Amino acid sequence: MLSKNKIKFIRSLELKKYRKEENAFLAEGHKLVGDLLGHFRCRLIAGTPEWFKKNPDLRTQETIEVTREELAKASLLKTPQDVLAVFEIPQAETDASVIEHSLCLALDDVQDPGNLGTIIRIADWFGIGHIFCSPGTADVYNPKTVQATMGALARVKLHYCDLKALAGSLPEGTPLFGTFLDGENIYEAPLDGHGLIIMGNEGKGISAEISRLTNRRLLIPNYPQGNATSESLNVAVATAIVCSEFRRRML
């Protein structure tokens, strides 16, 4: 069974302060835990007897068999599932050279954990393996973000860095795309198979400092053009549209 101290430890990972202190994050649910196993070092798995019967070969420091009622005490979900796991946060190095030969995303202060998790999932779907995040972007290991990735976190690497410095480190002429209201229609603009696609904050869009660094300004047009519509798109929805058009051109 789960001790009070173990429950306290698991629930503390909801806060960034404790995730940083423990160098650990929480994942819940059989699909998410199953996807992350083998990609992140696992410290602890707490699951029902039924879950362990279906998953006999596990690489983890500790396993605890629990009832659903016990699991609910440690879970951060409204509807607890049959397993939760604590994984170590990897120490990843930022390698900007991937931008020179592949398509990557950059997030300029995307602050909603759910949006970030959805964007990671979108990147995974469209074969984008690297996302560069400003320091003001939500923490990828926030439990809400981890859950929203639906396991895509196992395949997409996130790098937190100074986006201005990152852009300045790239070879001259590297495509730096951004979405703006005065940009060129994305369905008519020339697109590249490599470079950096920059997506901005939910309310403010791409910051003025970062927008000055972009050399390819794109517009997602509304339809029919000229009609009054919603003021803007959700950043995750906009990311999906942009990534889809880039990949469609590469077919």
Side-chain angles (χ1 to χ4, degrees):
M1 63 181 290
L2 285 169
S3 66
K4 289 183 178 180
N5 283 341
K6 196 72 73 175
I7 291 172
K8 183 179 179 181
F9 162 66
I10 292 169
R11 294 190 64 86
S12 75
L13 298 178
E14 184 174 16
L15 300 179
K16 185 175 182 178
K17 171 186 175 182
Y18 295 111
R19 291 195 298 273
K20 189 173 181 179
E21 284 182 7
E22 298 290 344
N23 194 43
F25 69 96
L26 176 66
E28 300 192 54
H30 66 272
K31 173 152 192 332
L32 180 56
V33 171
D35 282 348
L36 299 186
L37 283 169
H39 294 274
F40 297 88
R41 292 183 64 182
C42 187
R43 291 186 185 174
L44 164 70
I45 297 178
T48 62
E50 294 77 17
W51 187 87
F52 280 114
K53 285 180 182 177
K54 294 178 182 177
N55 302 272
D57 300 316
L58 300 169
R59 289 186 177 182
T60 179
Q61 293 179 17
E62 183 179 8
T63 59
I64 304 176
E65 196 171 285
V66 294
T67 64
R68 287 185 177 273
E69 290 73 22
E70 289 174 318
L71 207 58
K73 294 178 182 179
S75 175
L76 299 179
L77 299 179
K78 289 182 179 179
T79 306
Q81 300 192 39
D82 52 357
V83 65
L84 62 77
V86 175
F87 293 96
E88 286 190 12
I89 295 175
Q91 303 302 312
E93 294 184 3
T94 299
D95 180 9
S97 66
V98 295
I99 300 170
E100 298 172 34
H101 54 78
S102 65
L103 201 60
C104 302
L105 284 172
L107 304 181
D108 185 16
D109 288 6
V110 172
Q111 296 180 329
D112 182 84
N115 280 338
L116 176 57
T118 302
I119 289 171
I120 295 170
R121 191 176 175 186
I122 289 165
D124 185 37
W125 182 264
F126 287 108
I128 295 173
H130 295 269
I131 301 177
F132 296 86
C133 302
S134 67
T137 295
D139 179 18
V140 61
Y141 297 111
N142 181 308
K144 291 180 180 178
T145 302
V146 175
Q147 293 300 129
T149 69
M150 295 294 288
L153 189 59
R155 294 170 292 276
V156 179
K157 293 183 179 180
L158 268 73
H159 314 271
Y160 285 81
C161 60
D162 182 328
L163 295 185
K164 183 178 179 181
L166 173 70
S169 71
L170 298 173
E172 187 175 351
T174 300
L176 301 176
F177 300 93
T179 52
F180 302 92
L181 292 176
D182 63 350
E184 185 178 359
N185 188 325
I186 189 172
Y187 301 114
E188 300 171 354
L191 303 177
D192 295 84
H194 73 286
L196 199 60
I197 301 172
I198 304 169
M199 305 302 296
N201 173 269
E202 288 87 346
K204 301 176 182 177
I206 299 173
S207 65
E209 181 181 48
I210 301 302
S211 68
R212 286 192 290 268
L213 301 175
T214 60
N215 50 33
R216 306 285 288 278
R217 299 172 73 89
L218 302 174
L219 165 72
I220 301 173
N222 65 314
Y223 288 92
Q225 292 187 42
N227 280 24
T229 60
S230 298
E231 187 177 273
S232 63
L233 289 170
N234 170 276
V235 64
V237 172
T239 301
I241 292 170
V242 171
C243 290
S244 177
E245 182 60 14
F246 269 83
R247 289 314 193 202
R248 186 185 71 83
R249 300 283 191 91
M250 301 304 118
L251 293 176

